[in-house]
Amino acid sequence: MDSGDSEITHNFPPYFKVYKDGRVERYRAFPCVDAGIDPTTGVQSKDVMISPETGVKARIFLPNINSPGQKLPLLVHYHGGAFCLGSAFGVMSKHFLASLVSQANIIAISVDYRLAPEHPLPIAYDDSWAGLQWVAAHFNGLGPEPWLNDHADLGRVFLAGESAGANIAHYVAVQAGATKLASIKIHGLLIVHPFFGAKEPDEMYKYMCPGSSGSDDDPKLNPAADPNLKNMAGDRVLVCVAEKDGLRNRGVAYYETLAKSEWDGHVEFYETSGEDHCFHMFRPDSEKVGPLIEKMIHFINNA
């Protein structure tokens, strides 16, 4: 390998580095797992194609169904990973969603949006919005996926995500409201340990999203700067933060922004003491995970 091939032009640890020849090398990989039956919960999962044109897929999680005509709330999930790591097919996503689906008695679909920097932002946002539109195509029971046709109540839809996925979930909800997506009813959002911007530019986000300032004048990074915030779909939002999370204050700011905005909904706040960013994904055996999951279940089932 010559010196040109090994020269690093952009370096963003602990996420990725880019070489002069355009190669991207990630500092860590998150293992994926095949779809199937989860032996702990009995939840079934399967992978579906969202868009043959882009290759974007999703994974659906289905709990035990007691009767053939039973319709359950649908959770549309967007995984975290700083827009450049992670997968809907990852071990962490499967563990979390299988547990939530089983306990809340809901269906979940996690959209495997394309990752930056190979696919620059806003591609991840566009893929995620396309995922919700694909879900909405099942409103009359004639969509391409039988599990959704037969068992998903599209009058009870929730959007959810953690970290970057929470940022995406918010974006998708705003898009749904601004475009008046009428074929489904979004009841609420679960915004968990969200990533949003600050006054100081985020250089990695700027690199991943050409044209963005990477700071709080970008509506994707600062909901308060978004004129469409007042149109956001969803009647309720649950904002979850963790006490030791470096992004905690951004979650608090998001909660406060919604509370004083013209958006006509109700926002709730939940903080986990003594825990760090996305602890429920990285350390699912933590004693603090149970109460967080219970809060999510209560939020969903009391819509």
Side-chain angles (χ1 to χ4, degrees):
M1 181 181 290
D2 62 35
S3 59
D5 291 334
S6 61
E7 181 181 347
I8 297 172
T9 58
H10 297 85
N11 193 17
F12 301 106
Y15 301 105
F16 64 87
K17 53 188 171 183
V18 183
Y19 292 92
K20 188 175 182 180
D21 63 3
R23 288 182 299 117
V24 175
E25 182 178 327
R26 287 172 171 79
Y27 280 95
R28 63 185 303 184
F30 294 98
C32 290
V33 63
D34 291 338
I37 298 178
D38 179 62
T40 302
T41 62
V43 169
Q44 299 181 69
S45 59
K46 68 189 293 189
D47 298 338
V48 296
M49 179 65 72
I50 295 292
S51 170
E53 292 76 22
T54 63
V56 172
K57 298 180 180 180
R59 179 164 289 180
I60 304 177
F61 296 82
L62 185 74
N64 292 317
I65 300 296
N66 298 321
S67 60
Q70 187 178 13
K71 295 277 190 175
L72 302 174
L74 177 67
L75 182 85
V76 182
H77 173 259
Y78 303 103
H79 69 82
F83 305 98
C84 61
L85 298 172
S87 171
F89 311 136
V91 173
M92 290 191 296
S93 290
K94 181 184 178 184
H95 186 103
F96 167 65
L97 289 173
S99 177
L100 183 61
V101 161
S102 174
Q103 295 182 61
N105 198 33
I106 60 173
I107 301 173
I109 179 169
S110 188
V111 179
D112 197 49
Y113 56 83
R114 289 171 288 173
L115 300 179
E118 295 92 336
H119 303 282
L121 297 172
I123 286 177
Y125 294 102
D126 295 340
D127 289 347
S128 300
W129 170 232
L132 185 65
Q133 291 174 302
W134 182 85
V135 167
H138 295 77
F139 77 97
N140 58 0
L142 298 175
E145 173 47 49
W147 279 10
L148 297 187
N149 289 331
D150 296 341
H151 301 298
D153 181 353
L154 298 188
R156 291 185 291 166
V157 174
F158 295 83
L159 306 183
E162 66 280 345
S163 195
N167 177 289
I168 290 173
H170 166 83
Y171 170 84
V172 170
V174 171
Q175 287 296 108
T179 61
K180 302 188 186 307
L181 184 65
S183 50
I184 62 174
K185 169 62 175 175
I186 298 174
H187 270 278
L189 285 71
L190 288 83
I191 303 296
V192 183
H193 306 172
F195 166 79
F196 288 105
K199 289 185 178 180
E200 189 71 22
D202 185 311
E203 295 300 327
M204 188 175 84
Y205 191 92
K206 283 177 63 178
Y207 178 77
M208 294 189 297
C209 189
S212 172
S213 67
S215 59
D216 61 3
D217 62 348
D218 184 336
K220 290 184 177 67
L221 295 177
N222 179 18
D226 188 351
N228 284 320
L229 177 61
K230 62 181 179 294
N231 300 316
M232 185 174 74
D235 301 323
R236 299 159 62 234
V237 175
L238 174 63
V239 181
C240 300
V241 302
E243 180 186 14
K244 295 183 177 180
D245 184 1
L247 297 179
R248 175 194 177 277
N249 290 344
R250 301 188 194 187
V252 172
Y254 175 73
Y255 165 78
E256 293 173 345
T257 293
L258 287 186
K260 64 185 180 184
S261 73
E262 295 179 45
W263 169 68
D264 186 22
H266 175 71
V267 57
E268 301 177 35
F269 182 81
Y270 179 82
E271 181 167 10
T272 302
S273 63
E275 285 291 358
D276 211 330
H277 188 65
C278 291
F279 71 94
H280 61 298
M281 306 295 287
F282 292 111
R283 296 190 298 106
D285 294 330
S286 165
E287 64 180 11
K288 301 293 180 68
V289 172
L292 176 61
I293 295 290
E294 289 174 9
K295 182 66 177 179
M296 295 178 183
I297 294 170
H298 183 268
F299 178 81
I300 293 169
N301 290 336
N302 287 274

